[in-house]
Amino acid sequence: MTRPAVLFVCLGNICRSPLAEAAFRAEAGKRGLDVGVESAGVGGWHQGDPPDQRSIDTAKRHGIDISEYTARKIRPDDFVRFSHILALDREVFGDLKRMKPDDSTAVVALLLDYVKGKEGKSVPDPYYSDARAFEYTWLDVCAGARGLADALEGK
Ligand code: 4NP
């Protein structure tokens, strides 16, 4: 089997998907899973920017440095380069389904589909909220990371 590769996608690629990328990198590392991991946004407003400072601070509280991550916009070839493209919310999921090219080979789903009891749900956008909201984002993406890692391990 070819190595799985996961792309986490939110709106801006500065708040939620960098945290999902960090959480999943940590989870995959802990389990010794050989998997590619990146994140992107459906919007290009923040391309080239580092994550939102509140996301950097949140990851840091959990021992992970994401200050070098750089935002980028999703591209059509991502749908063949990645085995899994996971939307952080339902709006983004709708965008991904619309932009999915005919030759797409990726599984496109919501991250929280991998969390028992949260299937079909969105990770709320913390952008207009406070630091506490980012901590809830962290809890959601960690739960998603565990569920996704279980699925990739066939559990
Ligand atoms: P994210 O949060 O999608 O979790 O990165 C947002 C970041 C920026 C904007 C919206 C959401 N924005 O409108 O610029």
Side-chain angles (χ1 to χ4, degrees), residues 55-71:
S55 281
I56 293 176
D57 293 343
T58 301
K60 198 170 176 186
R61 277 196 298 278
H62 297 279
I64 302 171
D65 178 10
I66 64 167
S67 62
E68 302 289 315
Y69 287 16
T70 306

Side-chain angles (χ1 to χ4, degrees), residues 10-18 45-46 89 92 125-128:
C10 62
L11 278 176
N13 193 207
I14 56 166
C15 295
R16 291 165 293 174
S17 60
W45 324 285
H46 295 283
D89 70 28
V92 167
D125 186 352
Y127 188 62
Y128 296 104

Side-chain angles (χ1 to χ4, degrees), residues 20-36:
E21 179 181 346
F24 187 66
R25 279 185 189 282
E27 188 64 32
K30 210 161 67 184
R31 298 182 190 215
L33 268 177
D34 182 22
V35 55

Side-chain angles (χ1 to χ4, degrees), residues 3-6 24-25 28-29 32-37 83-84 152:
R3 177 178 184 249
V6 181
F24 187 66
R25 279 185 189 282
L33 268 177
D34 182 22
V35 55
V37 193
S83 59
H84 294 72
L152 292 177

Side-chain angles (χ1 to χ4, degrees), residues 61-137:
R61 277 196 298 278
H62 297 279
I64 302 171
D65 178 10
I66 64 167
S67 62
E68 302 289 315
Y69 287 16
T70 306
R72 73 161 174 96
K73 191 176 172 181
I74 189 165
R75 299 184 300 262
D77 69 328
D78 288 326
F79 288 86
V80 290
R81 287 180 52 231
F82 290 90
S83 59
H84 294 72
I85 299 184
L86 298 178
L88 272 288
D89 70 28
R90 295 165 62 100
E91 185 187 344
V92 167
F93 182 49
D95 291 341
L96 292 176
K97 281 194 289 190
R98 274 189 294 279
M99 66 176 71
K100 190 176 174 184
D102 289 340
D103 66 348
S104 169
T105 48
V107 171
V108 179
L110 278 163
L111 175 61
L112 292 184
D113 284 345
Y114 291 89
V115 180
K116 230 187 181 133
K118 290 211 170 187
E119 298 91 343
K121 292 206 175 353
S122 295
V123 176
D125 186 352
Y127 188 62
Y128 296 104
S129 301
D130 57 10
R132 253 182 60 169
F134 281 74
E135 205 51 46
Y136 285 116
T137 303

